[in-house]
Amino acid sequence: KKREKEHGPKVHPELLELYTVTDHVLGVGTFATVKEIILKSTGKSYALKIILKKTLQGKGTMLDTEISILSKVRHPNCVSLLEMFETEDAVYLITDLAKGGELFDQLLNKGFYTEGDAARLVHEILLGVEYLHSMGIVHRDLKPENLLFEDKSENSRLMITDFGLSKVLTGGNDVLMTACGTPGYVAPEVLEQIGHGKPVDMWSVGVIAYTLLCGYTPFWGEDQPSLFESIISGEYEYEEEYWKDISQLAKSFIDSLLRPANQRPTATQALAHPWFRAMLEQDMVTPVSPADSVNLLPGMRKNFNARQAFKKAVRAVGLIKKMQ
Ligand code: ADP
Ligand code: MG
């Protein structure tokens, strides 16, 4: 406890004047702790992302990138940066508060969840990605932990956050050579270090879509090397037990993304996939078609829970590392 105090940052005085910092921790990521804060003048809540400079260890430019990118982003499916404060030890980013929490955490609380719901979520993610790509931004770390619901309502909007690993591409086709991103959702060309651009996000969307339909990721390995091998092989399956009720269109959508980089559709092209037409229009027809009547939650819950336990373990290790 004492150690934590000694090493904890002094919060920026102006920030403390304007906002009340609550004890409510919204989440802990690779670099940041995110807390709920309240703007004193209005009583409205926001998210405060605290990034300790010492955790960056020479990755300062990465942080500058995140800040310059976040401040430009204005889209319903992307979290906006509203204000920034900086002290000697830390950077404080104030963003929209996503009250609904992380994608999977909220899904698990639902009673009913269908392929149609998954399609609507993937569609929103793609709208956000299409916007980011139109700004010359490659996210490079698209994964469920970086997808947040705006609120807890049934039809809440989904928002993309955490542009920490993004880079603004000047040319649009620049090849980014840094190996980063998160195992499981990361594209093979990133692992092979043969450069990566916008298509890496499209791969991640494919992995997210797959995971949203069954609760587990398409590529798997007992350790990092075998996970990497699995991703680079590009081989995955639709296991009968979890995929029997899923439409062919969904599988063809996923197949279109989990391909070599030069064969993947752009976000705009992916948005035109017939899977969306079939699923989104279904909403308006009263007799529910099979895709919207099968509840995917029971099967997914089983897989999710395994994943969740794994995630907690990984986070615990991350926290221990941070404390050292
Ligand atoms: P990092 O760069 O360290 O991964 P993130 O920006 O992804 O940091 O934030 C870490 C976690 O904090 C997220 O996974 C999410 O659970 C939570 N979080 C981040 N931003 C918000 C927000 N605007 N509203 C609510 N929760 C958030
Ligand atoms: Mg994150």
Side-chain angles (χ1 to χ4, degrees):
K1 246 282 114 86
K2 197 172 164 227
R3 221 188 122 173
E4 214 176 86
K5 262 211 171 117
E6 277 168 15
H7 291 262
K10 271 201 200 90
V11 179
H12 195 282
E14 198 188 334
L15 190 157
L16 285 178
E17 238 168 66
L18 296 169
Y19 297 90
T20 306
V21 181
T22 74
D23 290 332
H24 184 200
V25 175
L26 295 160
V28 179
T30 329
F31 294 112
T33 301
V34 182
K35 282 183 174 178
E36 181 174 347
I37 56 167
I38 299 160
L39 181 61
K40 290 178 186 172
S41 61
T42 62
K44 217 183 149 214
S45 288
Y46 296 90
L48 173 66
K49 180 167 173 172
I50 306 165
I51 305 167
L52 291 184
K53 286 183 176 171
K54 67 163 188 190
T55 63
L56 294 169
Q57 289 164 355
K59 294 183 193 129
T61 40
M62 208 152 108
L63 182 66
D64 292 341
T65 311
E66 170 160 41
I67 291 163
S68 78
I69 290 169
L70 267 177
S71 61
K72 281 183 206 146
V73 167
R74 291 286 179 277
H75 186 273
N77 298 111
C78 301
V79 168
S80 329
L81 172 66
L82 306 167
E83 247 188 307
M84 188 209 124
F85 296 94
E86 194 171 356
T87 62
E88 217 174 285
D89 313 310
V91 173
Y92 299 86
L93 302 177
I94 296 173
T95 67
D96 293 329
L97 174 66
K99 291 193 199 76
E102 292 177 25
L103 175 58
F104 282 164
D105 295 339
Q106 168 121 331
L107 286 191
L108 279 174
N109 293 331
K110 288 176 91 138
F112 208 79
Y113 167 80
T114 65
E115 181 178 333
D117 293 325
R120 278 182 285 278
L121 292 169
V122 175
H123 194 258
E124 289 194 42
I125 297 164
L126 276 174
L127 289 174
V129 172
E130 183 186 43
Y131 169 81
L132 292 175
H133 286 184
S134 78
M135 304 264 293
I137 297 168
V138 182
H139 189 294
R140 306 205 296 175
D141 196 22
L142 276 177
K143 56 180 173 177
E145 293 90 328
N146 288 333
L147 298 167
L148 310 173
F149 283 107
E150 186 184 26
D151 54 55
K152 290 211 156 75
S153 71
E154 193 64 24
N155 294 309
S156 167
R157 236 172 22 203
L158 193 59
M159 303 197 288
I160 301 173
T161 189
D162 195 3
F163 302 89
L165 301 175
S166 310
K167 281 253 165 73
V168 180
L169 290 186
T170 43
N173 275 324
D174 290 38
V175 171
L176 303 165
M177 297 294 289
T178 340
C180 55
T182 303
Y185 294 84
V186 88
E189 68 268 26
V190 178
L191 300 176
E192 290 181 296
Q193 303 199 3
I194 48 175
H196 51 218
K198 292 170 187 174
V200 307
D201 287 344
M202 300 313 296
W203 174 279
S204 301
V205 170
V207 177
I208 291 165
Y210 183 103
T211 310
L212 276 171
L213 289 165
C214 66
Y216 59 94
T217 52
F219 305 102
W220 190 84
E222 265 174 28
D223 47 30
Q224 194 139 314
S226 51
L227 169 64
F228 284 13
E229 220 170 87
S230 161
I231 294 170
I232 288 168
S233 80
E235 282 164 30
Y236 56 95
E237 279 169 43
Y238 297 110
E239 281 170 85
E240 187 58 19
E241 187 184 351
Y242 301 104
W243 289 87
K244 59 180 182 323
D245 298 318
I246 308 293
S247 72
Q248 263 317 309
L249 277 175
K251 294 171 192 166
S252 104
F253 172 75
I254 292 164
D255 293 343
S256 75
L257 296 165
L258 299 182
R259 277 186 196 167
N262 60 359
Q263 292 171 28
R264 280 171 226 153
T266 64
T268 310
Q269 287 165 344
L271 280 163
H273 193 279
W275 184 44
F276 296 115
R277 221 169 312 132
M279 292 296 142
L280 305 186
E281 277 166 21
Q282 206 161 258
D283 265 2
M284 298 158 207
V285 199
T286 341
V288 186
S289 81
D292 238 14
S293 64
V294 176
N295 188 5
L296 302 177
L297 269 185
M300 287 180 80
R301 208 161 253 146
K302 197 170 111 190
N303 299 319
F304 268 149
N305 287 340
R307 207 196 73 93
Q308 218 67 354
F310 175 73
K311 193 172 93 178
K312 280 209 182 97
V314 170
R315 282 202 175 157
V317 171
L319 278 177
I320 289 164
K321 278 200 185 134
K322 267 183 201 171
M323 283 160 73
Q324 279 165 350

